Amino acid sequence: MKRSVLLLSCCLAFSSAQAASECPGFPSLATSGEALLAQLRALPPVGIERELQACAPKTIIDFAYSGGVLCRFGVDKESVEAATAAVTRLADGGELVEYLYLFPYAPDSHARLLALLAAHFSRLDKAAYPAFLQAARPGKETTALFAHGGYYISLGKPAAGDSAEWYSNVIFEKMDRPALGVRKICQDAADD
């Protein structure tokens, strides 16, 4: 799958000597997919790839990836550097429904991400997680879920058996349109 190759290639090449810009959409939440994409293009990324998801509702995901550091969450020694970002919009009308950042996984940087998110957003108890996050997913673990401004903000990491044990992720999903980005599951018409 194109998405997996892009994410893996960006993280394998993760290294940069230059100071990174702050990641758009954190800690202030993004409101426009076009504005967020323009900010990502200005970083500049090594490339932007587009993926169309044809199952209803049709969505467009733009992946911005780097050959090193794309941007950073936080400041100074507490910052965590992202290598990849993705922005998901509805194909009809372009409404922003999700955006995310991927970070090379390490326990200490994952802990810093948790602290950064907790400093800005309200953490939810597991009992309040939406259904799409309560189901077990092989190799994926949601470390924490936050809510703010109509968004779910989740922090994820690899779990035992994950073939992509190299990344943490922070996903911002519209509460009224969850699981339409990288979590979207398309089923064949025969499955309906």
Side-chain angles (χ1 to χ4, degrees):
M1 177 188 283
K2 182 194 314 182
R3 184 178 357 188
S4 299
V5 172
L6 284 174
L7 300 178
L8 180 59
S9 66
C10 77
C11 287
L12 290 176
F14 191 84
S15 66
S16 178
Q18 62 186 10
S21 299
E22 291 185 22
C23 295
F26 175 80
S28 299
L29 298 178
T31 56
S32 161
E34 286 300 323
L36 185 57
L37 282 172
Q39 291 172 326
L40 288 171
R41 285 184 181 109
L43 289 175
V46 168
I48 294 185
E49 295 284 333
R50 179 165 283 177
E51 180 179 297
L52 303 174
Q53 294 181 324
C55 61
K58 292 181 182 178
T59 54
I60 301 166
I61 304 177
D62 289 287
F63 294 92
Y65 58 97
S66 69
V69 177
L70 180 66
C71 57
R72 64 174 164 52
F73 272 34
V75 294
D76 302 325
K77 63 183 178 184
E78 298 305 315
S79 69
V80 184
E81 296 172 333
T84 301
V87 177
T88 302
R89 297 168 293 143
L90 293 179
D92 183 16
E95 177 188 351
L96 175 66
V97 293
E98 177 190 292
Y99 61 101
L100 67 80
Y101 290 96
L102 294 180
F103 308 84
Y105 177 74
D108 62 332
S109 61
H110 193 80
R112 287 197 312 273
L113 282 169
L114 179 59
L116 285 166
L117 294 170
H120 295 284
F121 308 120
S122 300
R123 190 168 181 174
L124 300 177
D125 290 330
K126 284 201 174 201
Y129 282 20
F132 73 94
L133 285 177
Q134 289 183 1
R137 294 185 63 160
K140 307 292 181 209
E141 180 182 328
T142 300
T143 304
L145 182 67
F146 302 86
H148 186 81
Y151 279 90
Y152 289 119
I153 302 120
S154 63
L155 173 62
K157 70 175 186 174
D162 188 355
S163 61
E165 295 180 359
W166 40 267
Y167 73 89
S168 294
N169 62 52
V170 175
I171 304 176
F172 299 82
E173 297 171 87
K174 286 272 199 76
M175 288 180 174
D176 62 343
R177 296 186 178 274
L180 291 182
V182 297
R183 300 186 208 268
K184 184 176 180 183
I185 298 173
C186 295
Q187 296 180 346
D188 294 333
D191 293 341
D192 294 337

